[in-house]
Amino acid sequence: MKKTQLQKHITKTVNRLLYRLNNETCGGDIGNRYMKLLKDQSKSDCKFFECGTVATQSKFFFLDHLIDAMQRDWCYTSKSVIHIVPQAIYAESIYLNYADLVNETLEKMEFPIEEFQKYSYRELYCE
């Protein structure tokens, strides 16, 4: 898959997940709250990466954190919490509460998780 195809797939999948999280859960705007956390972080990260946009970073890390949550057994301790970004904790909570919705959406969108995981943000958007 070409990088541009993967970038478009990321956008479509995130948009679908946002719609479903906002409209098919009892929390109302869960997707929007998660995206706001990501956008706030991306505003400072744009300077670090020196490429891309707040929108592309937010969407990339939206999926990156969710996929991490899907694939890892997390075990936070009081000591480890200060080393974990809030976006990752929020993604884990979304997955723990709405795993069926997330899995179903990724499957229906035919999101290429393995292909996605081959790239860092910089590799996908800056090169």
Side-chain angles (χ1 to χ4, degrees):
M1 176 178 281
K2 293 181 181 179
K3 289 182 182 181
T4 54
Q5 291 173 311
L6 182 56
Q7 291 168 358
K8 289 177 183 177
H9 212 89
I10 289 168
T11 297
K12 289 179 184 178
T13 302
V14 168
N15 290 342
R16 185 67 184 145
L17 280 165
L18 278 170
Y19 176 84
R20 294 197 69 198
L21 287 167
N22 288 334
N23 295 295
E24 298 177 24
T25 62
C26 61
D29 64 345
I30 291 170
N32 287 341
R33 283 185 273 151
Y34 178 44
M35 184 56 85
K36 182 178 178 345
L37 282 172
L38 293 162
K39 283 181 179 178
D40 290 346
Q41 180 63 43
S42 295
K43 287 175 186 174
S44 64
D45 286 351
C46 275
K47 295 173 188 167
F48 171 77
F49 286 112
E50 298 179 344
C51 66
T53 65
V54 170
T56 59
Q57 284 185 32
S58 300
K59 290 175 183 174
F60 179 88
F61 288 106
F62 186 105
L63 289 173
D64 189 57
H65 293 312
L66 268 180
I67 291 168
D68 280 349
M70 291 168 57
Q71 296 176 339
R72 292 192 182 147
D73 291 327
W74 293 86
C75 184
Y76 300 118
T77 64
S78 296
K79 185 176 180 181
S80 67
V81 169
I82 63 170
H83 301 287
I84 301 165
V85 294
Q87 299 86 334
I89 295 171
Y90 204 91
E92 182 181 357
S93 182
I94 287 173
Y95 189 72
L96 291 172
N97 284 288
Y98 304 107
D100 291 342
L101 182 146
V102 172
N103 290 330
E104 179 184 293
T105 304
L106 293 175
E107 186 177 314
K108 283 187 178 181
M109 297 298 294
E110 297 178 355
F111 189 76
I113 293 173
E114 290 161 7
E115 184 73 17
F116 175 80
Q117 290 179 310
K118 291 178 185 177
Y119 296 99
S120 68
Y121 176 79
R122 188 179 296 279
E123 292 168 333
L124 190 59
Y125 289 94
C126 301
E127 296 176 358

mmCIF file of all heavy atoms in Angstrom, residues 42-70:
data_model
loop_
_atom_site.group_PDB
_atom_site.id
_atom_site.type_symbol
_atom_site.label_atom_id
_atom_site.label_comp_id
_atom_site.label_asym_id
_atom_site.label_seq_id
_atom_site.Cartn_x
_atom_site.Cartn_y
_atom_site.Cartn_z
ATOM 1 N N SER A 42 -0.964 17.654 19.769
ATOM 2 C CA SER A 42 -0.395 17.831 18.434
ATOM 3 C C SER A 42 0.049 19.267 18.165
ATOM 4 O O SER A 42 0.974 19.498 17.387
ATOM 5 C CB SER A 42 -1.400 17.397 17.360
ATOM 6 O OG SER A 42 -1.644 16.016 17.456
ATOM 7 N N LYS A 43 -0.606 20.213 18.801
ATOM 8 C CA LYS A 43 -0.216 21.617 18.606
ATOM 9 C C LYS A 43 1.232 21.844 19.017
ATOM 10 O O LYS A 43 1.964 22.563 18.345
ATOM 11 C CB LYS A 43 -1.157 22.540 19.377
ATOM 12 C CG LYS A 43 -2.520 22.631 18.738
ATOM 13 C CD LYS A 43 -3.474 23.459 19.574
ATOM 14 C CE LYS A 43 -4.869 23.396 18.957
ATOM 15 N NZ LYS A 43 -5.866 24.051 19.801
ATOM 16 N N SER A 44 1.666 21.217 20.079
ATOM 17 C CA SER A 44 3.066 21.363 20.480
ATOM 18 C C SER A 44 3.965 20.391 19.710
ATOM 19 O O SER A 44 5.113 20.706 19.415
ATOM 20 C CB SER A 44 3.236 21.167 21.981
ATOM 21 O OG SER A 44 2.886 19.858 22.353
ATOM 22 N N ASP A 45 3.432 19.234 19.344
ATOM 23 C CA ASP A 45 4.232 18.247 18.621
ATOM 24 C C ASP A 45 4.570 18.677 17.203
ATOM 25 O O ASP A 45 5.575 18.246 16.649
ATOM 26 C CB ASP A 45 3.509 16.896 18.569
ATOM 27 C CG ASP A 45 3.540 16.170 19.892
ATOM 28 O OD1 ASP A 45 4.272 16.620 20.810
ATOM 29 O OD2 ASP A 45 2.832 15.163 20.027
ATOM 30 N N CYS A 46 3.747 19.529 16.596
ATOM 31 C CA CYS A 46 4.031 20.005 15.232
ATOM 32 C C CYS A 46 5.405 20.667 15.181
ATOM 33 O O CYS A 46 6.138 20.514 14.209
ATOM 34 C CB CYS A 46 2.961 20.984 14.757
ATOM 35 S SG CYS A 46 1.529 20.177 14.053
ATOM 36 N N LYS A 47 5.762 21.365 16.235
ATOM 37 C CA LYS A 47 7.075 22.000 16.299
ATOM 38 C C LYS A 47 8.167 20.945 16.401
ATOM 39 O O LYS A 47 9.229 21.072 15.807
ATOM 40 C CB LYS A 47 7.145 22.954 17.487
ATOM 41 C CG LYS A 47 6.206 24.135 17.366
ATOM 42 C CD LYS A 47 6.182 24.948 18.637
ATOM 43 C CE LYS A 47 5.074 25.996 18.536
ATOM 44 N NZ LYS A 47 4.783 26.613 19.804
ATOM 45 N N PHE A 48 7.899 19.865 17.120
ATOM 46 C CA PHE A 48 8.876 18.795 17.286
ATOM 47 C C PHE A 48 9.089 18.048 15.974
ATOM 48 O O PHE A 48 10.208 17.814 15.557
ATOM 49 C CB PHE A 48 8.420 17.835 18.388
ATOM 50 C CG PHE A 48 9.261 16.591 18.486
ATOM 51 C CD1 PHE A 48 10.515 16.640 19.081
ATOM 52 C CD2 PHE A 48 8.808 15.382 17.980
ATOM 53 C CE1 PHE A 48 11.302 15.500 19.176
ATOM 54 C CE2 PHE A 48 9.589 14.235 18.071
ATOM 55 C CZ PHE A 48 10.836 14.297 18.668
ATOM 56 N N PHE A 49 8.003 17.644 15.321
ATOM 57 C CA PHE A 49 8.108 16.865 14.088
ATOM 58 C C PHE A 49 8.522 17.724 12.897
ATOM 59 O O PHE A 49 9.066 17.211 11.929
ATOM 60 C CB PHE A 49 6.774 16.164 13.772
ATOM 61 C CG PHE A 49 6.489 14.997 14.660
ATOM 62 C CD1 PHE A 49 5.455 15.044 15.583
ATOM 63 C CD2 PHE A 49 7.245 13.840 14.589
ATOM 64 C CE1 PHE A 49 5.176 13.957 16.406
ATOM 65 C CE2 PHE A 49 6.981 12.753 15.411
ATOM 66 C CZ PHE A 49 5.947 12.816 16.318
ATOM 67 N N GLU A 50 8.238 19.014 12.961
ATOM 68 C CA GLU A 50 8.552 19.960 11.893
ATOM 69 C C GLU A 50 7.943 19.546 10.553
ATOM 70 O O GLU A 50 8.505 19.825 9.494
ATOM 71 C CB GLU A 50 10.070 20.141 11.753
ATOM 72 C CG GLU A 50 10.719 20.716 12.993
ATOM 73 C CD GLU A 50 12.211 20.872 12.884
ATOM 74 O OE1 GLU A 50 12.832 20.269 11.985
ATOM 75 O OE2 GLU A 50 12.772 21.614 13.703
ATOM 76 N N CYS A 51 6.832 18.874 10.599
ATOM 77 C CA CYS A 51 6.126 18.497 9.371
ATOM 78 C C CYS A 51 4.701 18.091 9.739
ATOM 79 O O CYS A 51 4.373 17.903 10.895
ATOM 80 C CB CYS A 51 6.821 17.356 8.651
ATOM 81 S SG CYS A 51 6.803 15.815 9.571
ATOM 82 N N GLY A 52 3.882 17.954 8.719
ATOM 83 C CA GLY A 52 2.511 17.550 8.952
ATOM 84 C C GLY A 52 1.682 18.673 9.543
ATOM 85 O O GLY A 52 2.106 19.823 9.618
ATOM 86 N N THR A 53 0.502 18.311 9.951
ATOM 87 C CA THR A 53 -0.437 19.276 10.514
ATOM 88 C C THR A 53 -1.003 18.727 11.817
ATOM 89 O O THR A 53 -0.851 17.543 12.116
ATOM 90 C CB THR A 53 -1.606 19.532 9.544
ATOM 91 O OG1 THR A 53 -2.356 18.308 9.405
ATOM 92 C CG2 THR A 53 -1.117 20.010 8.181
ATOM 93 N N VAL A 54 -1.678 19.587 12.534
ATOM 94 C CA VAL A 54 -2.359 19.147 13.755
ATOM 95 C C VAL A 54 -3.363 18.053 13.407
ATOM 96 O O VAL A 54 -3.484 17.046 14.106
ATOM 97 C CB VAL A 54 -3.037 20.345 14.454
ATOM 98 C CG1 VAL A 54 -3.958 19.881 15.572
ATOM 99 C CG2 VAL A 54 -1.982 21.300 15.008
ATOM 100 N N ALA A 55 -4.069 18.218 12.292
ATOM 101 C CA ALA A 55 -5.087 17.234 11.886
ATOM 102 C C ALA A 55 -4.464 15.875 11.574
ATOM 103 O O ALA A 55 -4.960 14.845 12.035
ATOM 104 C CB ALA A 55 -5.863 17.748 10.677
ATOM 105 N N THR A 56 -3.365 15.861 10.804
ATOM 106 C CA THR A 56 -2.772 14.564 10.455
ATOM 107 C C THR A 56 -2.175 13.885 11.677
ATOM 108 O O THR A 56 -2.308 12.671 11.841
ATOM 109 C CB THR A 56 -1.698 14.697 9.353
ATOM 110 O OG1 THR A 56 -0.655 15.575 9.787
ATOM 111 C CG2 THR A 56 -2.291 15.186 8.048
ATOM 112 N N GLN A 57 -1.552 14.665 12.561
ATOM 113 C CA GLN A 57 -0.986 14.074 13.779
ATOM 114 C C GLN A 57 -2.083 13.528 14.680
ATOM 115 O O GLN A 57 -1.959 12.427 15.224
ATOM 116 C CB GLN A 57 -0.153 15.108 14.534
ATOM 117 C CG GLN A 57 1.180 15.357 13.901
ATOM 118 C CD GLN A 57 2.028 16.289 14.733
ATOM 119 O OE1 GLN A 57 1.931 16.298 15.963
ATOM 120 N NE2 GLN A 57 2.863 17.065 14.080
ATOM 121 N N SER A 58 -3.148 14.286 14.837
ATOM 122 C CA SER A 58 -4.250 13.844 15.702
ATOM 123 C C SER A 58 -4.841 12.540 15.200
ATOM 124 O O SER A 58 -5.099 11.622 15.979
ATOM 125 C CB SER A 58 -5.341 14.918 15.761
ATOM 126 O OG SER A 58 -4.823 16.110 16.271
ATOM 127 N N LYS A 59 -5.054 12.447 13.912
ATOM 128 C CA LYS A 59 -5.651 11.232 13.337
ATOM 129 C C LYS A 59 -4.702 10.048 13.420
ATOM 130 O O LYS A 59 -5.121 8.932 13.735
ATOM 131 C CB LYS A 59 -6.099 11.496 11.907
ATOM 132 C CG LYS A 59 -7.289 12.415 11.867
ATOM 133 C CD LYS A 59 -7.686 12.797 10.464
ATOM 134 C CE LYS A 59 -8.857 13.776 10.534
ATOM 135 N NZ LYS A 59 -9.204 14.308 9.229
ATOM 136 N N PHE A 60 -3.426 10.279 13.158
ATOM 137 C CA PHE A 60 -2.455 9.196 13.248
ATOM 138 C C PHE A 60 -2.428 8.635 14.671
ATOM 139 O O PHE A 60 -2.529 7.425 14.874
ATOM 140 C CB PHE A 60 -1.057 9.680 12.846
ATOM 141 C CG PHE A 60 -0.004 8.610 12.947
ATOM 142 C CD1 PHE A 60 0.234 7.767 11.873
ATOM 143 C CD2 PHE A 60 0.742 8.443 14.104
ATOM 144 C CE1 PHE A 60 1.198 6.770 11.956
ATOM 145 C CE2 PHE A 60 1.702 7.455 14.196
ATOM 146 C CZ PHE A 60 1.937 6.612 13.120
ATOM 147 N N PHE A 61 -2.298 9.525 15.650
ATOM 148 C CA PHE A 61 -2.180 9.059 17.030
ATOM 149 C C PHE A 61 -3.511 8.578 17.606
ATOM 150 O O PHE A 61 -3.525 7.781 18.546
ATOM 151 C CB PHE A 61 -1.501 10.120 17.903
ATOM 152 C CG PHE A 61 -0.039 10.223 17.594
ATOM 153 C CD1 PHE A 61 0.466 11.305 16.890
ATOM 154 C CD2 PHE A 61 0.834 9.216 17.961
ATOM 155 C CE1 PHE A 61 1.817 11.387 16.577
ATOM 156 C CE2 PHE A 61 2.179 9.276 17.646
ATOM 157 C CZ PHE A 61 2.670 10.369 16.945
ATOM 158 N N PHE A 62 -4.626 9.016 17.042
ATOM 159 C CA PHE A 62 -5.938 8.471 17.401
ATOM 160 C C PHE A 62 -5.894 6.954 17.227
ATOM 161 O O PHE A 62 -6.233 6.198 18.131
ATOM 162 C CB PHE A 62 -7.010 9.082 16.485
ATOM 163 C CG PHE A 62 -8.426 8.735 16.829
ATOM 164 C CD1 PHE A 62 -9.243 9.666 17.429
ATOM 165 C CD2 PHE A 62 -8.966 7.490 16.521
ATOM 166 C CE1 PHE A 62 -10.572 9.375 17.726
ATOM 167 C CE2 PHE A 62 -10.282 7.184 16.814
ATOM 168 C CZ PHE A 62 -11.088 8.130 17.423
ATOM 169 N N LEU A 63 -5.449 6.533 16.050
ATOM 170 C CA LEU A 63 -5.389 5.096 15.769
ATOM 171 C C LEU A 63 -4.205 4.433 16.461
ATOM 172 O O LEU A 63 -4.329 3.310 16.951
ATOM 173 C CB LEU A 63 -5.312 4.863 14.265
ATOM 174 C CG LEU A 63 -6.600 5.168 13.517
ATOM 175 C CD1 LEU A 63 -6.392 5.072 12.019
ATOM 176 C CD2 LEU A 63 -7.710 4.214 13.948
ATOM 177 N N ASP A 64 -3.085 5.100 16.516
ATOM 178 C CA ASP A 64 -1.892 4.525 17.139
ATOM 179 C C ASP A 64 -2.152 4.130 18.586
ATOM 180 O O ASP A 64 -1.848 3.009 19.004
ATOM 181 C CB ASP A 64 -0.741 5.528 17.040
ATOM 182 C CG ASP A 64 0.586 4.940 17.467
ATOM 183 O OD1 ASP A 64 0.996 3.912 16.877
ATOM 184 O OD2 ASP A 64 1.218 5.514 18.373
ATOM 185 N N HIS A 65 -2.739 5.032 19.355
ATOM 186 C CA HIS A 65 -3.029 4.735 20.762
ATOM 187 C C HIS A 65 -4.113 3.659 20.897
ATOM 188 O O HIS A 65 -4.022 2.798 21.778
ATOM 189 C CB HIS A 65 -3.450 5.997 21.518
ATOM 190 C CG HIS A 65 -2.367 7.009 21.669
ATOM 191 N ND1 HIS A 65 -1.092 6.717 22.097
ATOM 192 C CD2 HIS A 65 -2.364 8.350 21.448
ATOM 193 C CE1 HIS A 65 -0.359 7.810 22.136
ATOM 194 N NE2 HIS A 65 -1.110 8.825 21.743
ATOM 195 N N LEU A 66 -5.132 3.705 20.046
ATOM 196 C CA LEU A 66 -6.187 2.679 20.119
ATOM 197 C C LEU A 66 -5.639 1.291 19.791
ATOM 198 O O LEU A 66 -5.969 0.315 20.464
ATOM 199 C CB LEU A 66 -7.324 3.002 19.154
ATOM 200 C CG LEU A 66 -8.482 3.810 19.693
ATOM 201 C CD1 LEU A 66 -9.527 4.039 18.605
ATOM 202 C CD2 LEU A 66 -9.126 3.163 20.897
ATOM 203 N N ILE A 67 -4.807 1.216 18.774
ATOM 204 C CA ILE A 67 -4.233 -0.082 18.397
ATOM 205 C C ILE A 67 -3.319 -0.593 19.499
ATOM 206 O O ILE A 67 -3.331 -1.786 19.814
ATOM 207 C CB ILE A 67 -3.525 0.012 17.031
ATOM 208 C CG1 ILE A 67 -4.571 0.216 15.930
ATOM 209 C CG2 ILE A 67 -2.675 -1.225 16.762
ATOM 210 C CD1 ILE A 67 -4.019 0.611 14.579
ATOM 211 N N ASP A 68 -2.543 0.294 20.119
ATOM 212 C CA ASP A 68 -1.736 -0.117 21.278
ATOM 213 C C ASP A 68 -2.627 -0.678 22.375
ATOM 214 O O ASP A 68 -2.306 -1.697 22.987
ATOM 215 C CB ASP A 68 -0.935 1.062 21.838
ATOM 216 C CG ASP A 68 0.325 1.354 21.051
ATOM 217 O OD1 ASP A 68 0.720 0.544 20.198
ATOM 218 O OD2 ASP A 68 0.916 2.431 21.300
ATOM 219 N N ALA A 69 -3.724 -0.013 22.639
ATOM 220 C CA ALA A 69 -4.645 -0.468 23.685
ATOM 221 C C ALA A 69 -5.235 -1.835 23.340
ATOM 222 O O ALA A 69 -5.452 -2.664 24.228
ATOM 223 C CB ALA A 69 -5.767 0.550 23.885
ATOM 224 N N MET A 70 -5.474 -2.076 22.071
ATOM 225 C CA MET A 70 -6.019 -3.361 21.638
ATOM 226 C C MET A 70 -5.025 -4.499 21.857
ATOM 227 O O MET A 70 -5.416 -5.619 22.159
ATOM 228 C CB MET A 70 -6.352 -3.326 20.129
ATOM 229 C CG MET A 70 -7.492 -2.446 19.756
ATOM 230 S SD MET A 70 -7.585 -2.190 17.954
ATOM 231 C CE MET A 70 -7.703 -3.859 17.342
#
